């Protein structure tokens, strides 16, 4: 979820000195990660209608599971916020 961009918080935030720079990095990660998560959701949702499944409701289940992508990204960002801000 978020194309792995949340891991840049772990990698680059400790190198930043000012709180302003760390906040800018967090804002960038959230903005881009939400965009990527929405793109991934739309891609999975489209595939759910294109791929023929054996069960009729299977594409709906895939879309429901794809809805977890955005909340999972936000949860991962919260987990990866450096403790010593």
């Amino acid at each position: 979820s978020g194309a792995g961009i949340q891991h840049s918080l772990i990698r680059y935030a400790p190198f930043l000195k000012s709180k302003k720079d760390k906040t800018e990095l967090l804002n960038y990660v959230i903005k881009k990660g939400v965009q990527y998560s929405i793109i991934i959701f739309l891609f999975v949702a489209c595939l759910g209608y294109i791929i023929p499944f054996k069960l009729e409701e299977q594409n709906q289940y895939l879309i429901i599971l794809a809805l977890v992508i955005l909340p999972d990204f936000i949860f991962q960002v919260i987990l990866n916020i450096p403790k010593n801000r």
Side-chain angles (χ1 to χ4, degrees), residues 28-57:
Y28 176 80
V29 166
I30 291 173
K31 180 182 171 186
K32 290 297 181 180
V34 167
Q35 289 175 354
Y36 292 146
S37 294
I38 290 171
I39 290 170
I40 293 168
F41 165 74
L42 292 173
F43 179 73
V44 171
C46 289
L47 281 179
Y49 284 108
I50 293 172
I51 297 173
F53 293 107
K54 292 181 181 180
L55 298 175
E56 292 179 15
E57 297 88 18

Side-chain angles (χ1 to χ4, degrees), residues 9-23 78-85:
L9 283 176
I10 297 171
R11 175 75 175 113
Y12 297 110
F15 297 118
L16 300 174
K17 301 295 181 203
S18 71
K19 189 172 184 176
K20 180 184 175 224
D21 290 340
K22 291 181 182 185
T23 304
I78 292 170
L79 287 179
N80 290 324
I81 293 176
K83 303 297 183 226
N84 55 358
R85 291 184 74 187

